[in-house]
Amino acid sequence: MPKVMPIYGTRPEAIKVAPIVQALQADERFECVVTVTGQHREMLDQVNELFGIEPAHDLDIIQPRQTLNGVFARTLDGLDAVLEQERPDAVVVQGDTTTSTAAAVAAFNRGIRVVHAEAGLRSFDILSPFPEEANRKITGQIAALHLPPTRVSRDNLLREAVRSEDVYVTGNTVIDALMEAVAAQVPFEDERLAELEASGRRVVLVTTHRRENQGDAMRGVGRALARLARAHEDVTFVLPAHRNPVVREAVLPALEGLGNILVTEPLAYGEFTHLLSLSTVVLTDSGGVQEEAPSLGKPVLVMRENTERPEAVTAGTVRLIGTDEERVVAEVSRLLEDELSYRAMSTAVNPYGDGRAAERTVSAIAQLLGVGERLPEFEDGVSA
């Protein structure tokens, strides 16, 4: 029986790998050995608990104010011993985190086949997002099986001379996870969010954490939020604050004393999807939220200069606005004040998946390991 080892360490990875783990565990053809690094700790554990996943190995590498090199080194060193012990036939890594790239390198150096879920995303700027663009390109060089979520991502890989037989479009497993989580309607633990839901007020959901935005850009985002809150007193702006102290020190000072800005601790994934479903507008620099929100018909304003996820930009439900304070204020205000502009962006468009990405992923792994055949690819209706 082939042994497959999914390896992940952050909350975004956990969300997207969880459906794959569930599908592997339900398939009698495989032994699934879940391994986590703990690059994120509490947020990672929350996702595992939500989806009923108990890791077989936990490296617990997290340290205060950890550096990228420190994360990479501890992951590489810790995984080497686990790979020596388990000797899997394949490892599954997801996306573009430091954990995913270090895990891919560790497996490759031991002659273990690497399966790259969410492969082929490209911003074409090696420094933005940082370090994610470099991470996914490095992983793409050593993967044995590339699983792009869309045909746009597939075409990126083919242009990089990846063999077509090693590329298979699955859709994005984040949609699988989102469907399960939204259906659960996990209640809010924070009473302020429960009261907000009951009030029926419009909600702008804000998330920000990107390394390239830290510093002056993020301070500008804080000032923009404060201006928006003063100009739109009938709207509540909800900011689940990232635990990185650098993020909090940049954004939060400008928000003090504003009654319609609700700052919370990071939300467990079930609660976050509940809040996402209630939101009117989403303002973010996140990658995954760009995929989730359009699936729920929520307009997304992305505080970045480029994106490796262009499909929803093409569809019109995502707009790149950068971090300039004036533009952030103008773009959010336009969606709150102009019904036609809002309606143009809020039409539900889902170019990322149909809830069967994990099923397709497992079928591709089965073919790679000689125990099955691939299902038909996901047809997203989007081309490069």
Side-chain angles (χ1 to χ4, degrees):
M1 176 185 296
K3 182 184 291 187
V4 180
M5 180 181 287
I7 303 173
Y8 54 98
T10 68
R11 166 176 152 149
E13 288 171 283
I15 292 165
K16 294 179 177 183
V17 174
I20 299 172
V21 169
Q22 291 175 326
L24 284 168
Q25 290 177 336
D27 195 317
E28 295 180 352
R29 295 174 294 180
F30 301 103
E31 179 183 354
C32 179
V33 183
V34 177
T35 299
V36 299
T37 68
Q39 182 178 337
H40 293 172
R41 185 69 276 169
E42 183 180 347
M43 294 185 289
L44 171 72
D45 295 340
Q46 288 172 345
V47 176
N48 282 336
E49 182 179 352
L50 175 66
F51 290 98
I53 297 171
E54 295 185 10
H57 301 280
D58 187 339
L59 303 185
D60 196 24
I61 66 166
I62 191 170
Q63 292 184 2
R65 293 184 184 262
Q66 59 190 358
T67 66
L68 293 175
N69 286 338
V71 171
F72 197 100
R74 289 191 297 277
T75 298
L76 194 65
D77 184 57
L79 281 177
D80 199 51
V82 172
L83 294 171
E84 169 67 22
Q85 174 188 340
E86 294 288 355
R87 299 182 181 275
D89 297 283
V91 303
V92 180
V93 299
Q94 192 282 327
D96 52 22
T97 69
T98 302
T99 281
S100 67
T101 302
V105 171
F108 179 79
N109 285 346
R110 283 193 168 269
I112 299 167
R113 284 170 285 193
V114 175
V115 178
H116 189 195
E118 198 181 70
L121 278 65
R122 297 289 184 270
S123 70
F124 305 103
D125 180 349
I126 199 70
L127 297 179
S128 179
F130 176 86
E132 288 84 359
E133 180 75 359
N135 283 343
R136 48 183 166 247
K137 293 187 75 172
I138 292 168
T139 303
Q141 291 297 307
I142 57 181
L145 176 62
H146 307 256
L147 303 178
T150 68
R151 288 188 288 175
V152 169
S153 300
R154 176 203 63 190
D155 292 346
N156 289 338
L157 291 166
L158 297 180
R159 282 192 290 266
E160 293 174 2
V162 176
R163 298 191 312 168
S164 60
E165 57 264 39
D166 297 333
V167 180
Y168 169 72
V169 180
T170 60
N172 200 309
T173 56
V174 75
I175 306 303
D176 303 35
L178 179 69
M179 290 178 174
E180 183 173 341
V182 170
Q185 282 292 288
V186 175
F188 296 119
E189 291 188 6
D190 190 322
E191 292 182 359
R192 297 173 300 166
L193 291 176
E195 292 171 359
L196 176 60
E197 180 178 15
S199 74
R201 285 171 61 92
R202 290 190 294 171
V203 173
V204 174
L205 172 59
V206 183
T207 74
T208 182
H209 71 281
R210 296 231 74 85
R211 287 178 184 269
E212 65 267 26
N213 286 346
Q214 291 173 9
D216 289 342
M218 208 165 274
R219 284 188 283 274
V221 170
R223 293 191 299 269
L225 289 177
R227 290 173 57 186
L228 285 163
R230 294 187 182 100
H232 302 278
E233 295 182 353
D234 61 326
V235 177
T236 299
F237 297 79
V238 181
L239 172 66
H242 198 278
R243 286 214 166 88
N244 187 334
V246 175
V247 173
R248 293 189 173 204
E249 290 162 7
V251 177
L252 298 188
L255 310 183
E256 293 179 2
L258 293 167
N260 61 331
I261 291 186
L262 200 167
V263 178
T264 76
E265 290 301 309
L267 298 176
Y269 183 63
E271 292 182 73
F272 182 80
T273 60
H274 187 175
L275 179 59
L276 187 62
S277 71
L278 299 175
S279 299
T280 305
V281 175
V282 179
L283 177 67
T284 187
D285 60 16
S286 167
V289 175
Q290 294 177 55
E291 299 157 343
E292 294 164 322
S295 301
L296 300 175
K298 308 299 179 180
V300 185
L301 300 175
V302 179
M303 295 180 289
R304 289 164 59 176
E305 301 300 331
N306 54 44
T307 181
E308 64 282 14
R309 296 167 170 88
E311 294 87 352
V313 175
T314 301
T317 58
V318 167
R319 177 174 292 121
L320 295 172
I321 65 169
T323 56
D324 177 76
E325 179 181 341
E326 296 298 330
R327 188 170 182 196
V328 170
V329 171
E331 294 285 356
V332 175
S333 296
R334 184 174 57 82
L335 290 179
L336 292 175
E337 298 167 3
D338 185 340
E339 184 177 347
L340 289 178
S341 294
Y342 182 85
R343 189 182 307 153
M345 287 189 71
S346 63
T347 302
V349 174
N350 188 342
Y352 296 114
D354 58 2
R356 296 184 61 200
E359 182 184 357
R360 294 188 187 93
T361 297
V362 171
S363 78
I365 295 171
Q367 184 182 65
L368 176 71
L369 299 181
V371 293
E373 297 296 328
R374 295 179 182 177
L375 295 171
E377 287 187 309
F378 172 59
E379 294 287 341
D380 58 27
V382 179
S383 58

